[in-house]
Amino acid sequence: MEQVNNRAVIVGVNLQNRPDFAYSMEELRNLADACNIEVVGELTQNAAKVNGPHYIGSGKIQELSALVEGLDASTVIFNDELSPSQIRNLESSLEKKVIDRTILILDIFGERARTREAQLQVEVAQLQYMLPRLVGLRESLGRQGGGSGMKNKGTGETKLELDRRRIEERISALQTELEKLVAQRQVQRKQRQKTGVPVVCLVGYTNAGKSSLLNAVLKAYMPESNKQVLARDMLFATLETSVRGIELPDNKSFLLTDTVGFVSKLPHYLVKAFRSTLEEVTEADLLIQVVDYANEEYERHIQVTNTTLKELGADHIPMIYAYNKTDLTEMKYPQVEGDKVYLSVKEEAGLSELVTLVKQRIFQDYMPCEVIIPFEEGRLVAYFNANANVIATDYEPNGTRLTMECKKADFEKYQHLFVEPVAEV
């Protein structure tokens, strides 16, 4: 069997000495690695603007062609999204498969998608990317064979026979099916909202440890639960939005939501396709931004996450920061500094501090109080035992005295049934 050549050279243009350029290129290597492509070389160019026809200058084209031949690479990967004409011109000049950062991310999403909704969203994004590039991609797609470049689920060779009209019809059919799934999830979301249970959403850069944190909180507070989510040390391990109910010892509860991770230059096709999924973020009561504190670029990751949240219209939601993987740094943990918690999911250290901070933010409508409930209203004693944090129970001649922390709404709803005196603690 012929061995597939998955060797590639990555190419990037550093526009006006961008401070994040080196990291962007390193991230491109990681994206290629996630697609099982071996990066064997790199070529960069400093420029004031991107060359229109070829992305890089003519001199660099010759240098790149020699580099690719010398390293026996079959693919050239560009750090920015290429236009249809750029793909066509580059493939003509290099006589190699040419792909860009966007295709790599689309391929990874296609590989990771598990639920029907995620698969539909990824295919819509892939087709929308492909639609204006049919001519430029035709040669590239024809040469694929185990490498990257639209290789997943319903894309690739089969799309070579699809003309523009049929692709548009396919997108329309996929979006119709997606709308039905979105409607179902919106019904579920409205049902959750009716319960009044606060929603806390995990956000952050891909591979920061969001899913691992959700699993750790489940293990710590609901050890009998078997609803662990997939958590792996790889880019975009989670594409599905997972919601888990967390019940705390003091009878308080909240919903913890895990979402798809962000990355710099996240293709707008994906943001658009996954917008319905990411709406979970916009309707949260509190965001927990999970940060890989051991990564030297963690501050840049925070910036990318905040920018993406702003694009989604979620930048107004209160947020706290969970600095994960602190065990790999010199920082003392666990500790809390304002809205930051330094913790280690791996060591299971700092979870209680994080949950305490969450409780301070989302349970502000609770009040400490001491009430006397008449014996004939015994149902209220049962209600508060189930829905409040009852600290002490005493029996007196005229009723049951409860020292507790309960919702202000419950206190106000039932206070006309309490025996005087009623006191706030």
Side-chain angles (χ1 to χ4, degrees):
M1 184 175 179
E2 184 181 351
Q3 186 71 27
V4 176
N5 183 344
N6 275 349
R7 295 162 63 87
V9 171
I10 59 175
V11 181
V13 173
N14 186 2
L15 294 174
Q16 301 171 343
N17 293 317
R18 281 171 23 208
D20 63 339
F21 178 72
Y23 177 73
S24 178
M25 292 296 289
E26 181 61 30
E27 191 171 68
L28 186 63
R29 285 178 177 269
N30 294 334
L31 291 170
D33 182 65
C35 286
N36 297 314
I37 298 175
E38 180 187 3
V39 176
V40 294
E42 176 178 324
L43 184 139
T44 62
Q45 179 178 23
N46 296 320
K49 63 178 181 178
V50 168
N51 179 282
H54 288 85
Y55 180 75
I56 55 177
S58 57
K60 284 291 181 181
I61 288 284
Q62 295 176 3
E63 184 181 340
L64 176 59
S65 180
L67 180 63
V68 170
E69 290 298 331
L71 294 172
D72 188 30
S74 63
T75 306
V76 183
I77 307 173
F78 288 79
N79 194 32
D80 292 300
E81 186 172 306
L82 299 174
S83 69
S85 62
Q86 286 172 336
I87 293 176
R88 187 166 57 249
N89 294 337
L90 285 165
E91 290 201 325
S92 176
S93 299
L94 298 171
E95 297 183 347
K96 298 290 182 180
K97 181 168 67 175
V98 172
I99 59 178
D100 60 21
R101 184 188 188 94
T102 299
I103 286 184
L104 286 182
I105 296 175
L106 289 173
D107 273 354
I108 296 170
F109 269 61
E111 189 72 30
R112 307 281 193 261
R114 292 292 177 268
T115 66
R116 179 59 180 163
E117 183 176 10
Q119 291 167 355
L120 290 173
Q121 289 168 324
V122 171
E123 188 174 354
V124 166
Q126 289 174 326
L127 291 173
Q128 287 174 335
Y129 171 87
M130 201 178 143
L131 192 56
R133 294 170 171 79
L134 285 175
V135 176
L137 282 175
R138 193 170 298 276
E139 188 68 20
S140 177
L141 289 171
R143 276 203 297 271
Q144 75 177 36
S148 188
M150 314 301 289
K151 65 179 180 178
N152 295 296
K153 297 182 180 70
T155 61
E157 293 284 358
T158 59
K159 292 297 183 285
L160 292 174
E161 291 86 47
L162 284 176
D163 59 18
R164 188 178 303 274
R165 179 179 57 80
R166 290 181 61 194
I167 290 182
E168 290 173 343
E169 289 174 353
R170 176 65 176 161
I171 291 174
S172 178
L174 291 170
Q175 288 177 331
T176 299
E177 188 174 350
L178 263 175
E179 287 172 3
K180 295 177 182 177
L181 294 174
V182 170
Q184 292 174 6
R185 194 152 35 76
Q186 287 176 338
V187 170
Q188 294 171 348
R189 194 184 304 157
K190 287 179 180 178
Q191 290 174 341
R192 293 200 301 265
Q193 289 173 341
K194 286 181 181 178
T195 66
V197 178
V199 176
V200 179
C201 196
L202 297 169
V203 297
Y205 214 74
T206 182
N207 210 28
K210 296 182 295 299
S211 299
S212 297
L213 178 57
L214 185 148
N215 287 338
V217 172
L218 274 174
K219 180 181 177 182
Y221 292 92
M222 303 185 68
E224 303 301 319
S225 173
N226 59 351
K227 295 184 177 180
Q228 300 281 301
V229 299
L230 175 68
R232 291 181 183 170
D233 183 15
M234 64 183 187
L235 299 176
F236 304 114
T238 303
L239 297 187
E240 290 75 41
T241 296
S242 303
V243 182
R244 299 291 185 268
I246 306 298
E247 298 177 8
L248 303 175
D250 57 4
N251 281 340
K252 295 187 178 77
S253 64
F254 62 91
L255 296 176
L256 188 58
T257 303
D258 186 20
T259 60
V260 62
F262 302 144
V263 69
S264 61
K265 301 182 184 178
L266 190 64
H268 68 275
Y269 310 97
L270 280 174
V271 174
K272 184 178 180 181
F274 277 77
R275 183 169 290 277
S276 59
T277 301
L278 293 170
E279 281 177 1
E280 297 283 352
V281 177
T282 65
E283 299 187 12
D285 297 289
L286 177 69
L287 302 180
I288 300 177
Q289 183 171 164
V290 184
V291 180
D292 180 356
Y293 190 52
N295 192 308
E296 294 180 355
E297 299 289 335
Y298 76 89
E299 291 181 344
R300 202 178 310 283
H301 292 178
I302 293 174
Q303 292 174 2
V304 171
T305 299
N306 290 341
T307 299
T308 307
L309 290 172
K310 187 173 183 179
E311 291 174 357
L312 292 170
D315 53 326
H316 65 285
I317 300 174
M319 182 159 57
I320 59 179
Y321 296 82
Y323 284 79
N324 187 27
K325 307 183 186 180
T326 309
D327 55 300
L328 302 177
T329 72
E330 300 298 320
M331 187 75 175
K332 181 182 177 182
Y333 71 97
Q335 67 169 310
V336 180
E337 292 182 358
D339 59 357
K340 302 179 182 67
V341 181
Y342 295 88
L343 52 82
S344 169
V345 171
K346 182 180 179 181
E347 302 293 332
E348 298 182 358
L351 298 179
S352 61
E353 287 83 355
L354 178 64
V355 171
T356 297
L357 191 58
V358 168
K359 287 166 60 176
Q360 292 172 359
R361 298 299 179 91
I362 64 174
F363 295 121
Q364 295 178 354
D365 61 336
Y366 275 68
M367 58 178 286
C369 60
E370 190 173 290
V371 302
I372 300 176
I373 299 174
F375 291 122
E376 61 267 24
E377 297 292 344
R379 62 182 180 85
L380 287 186
V381 176
Y383 176 83
F384 283 117
N385 274 314
N387 296 280
N389 181 24
V390 176
I391 300 168
T393 303
D394 298 293
Y395 299 98
E396 300 186 357
N398 54 348
T400 305
R401 180 184 291 272
L402 297 181
T403 303
M404 63 181 178
E405 186 184 25
C406 70
K407 291 182 180 178
K408 292 179 182 178
D410 282 344
F411 179 85
E412 293 169 357
K413 180 179 180 180
Y414 297 112
Q415 65 177 336
H416 67 283
L417 298 175
F418 299 154
V419 175
E420 296 296 342
V422 176
E424 288 189 35
V425 178

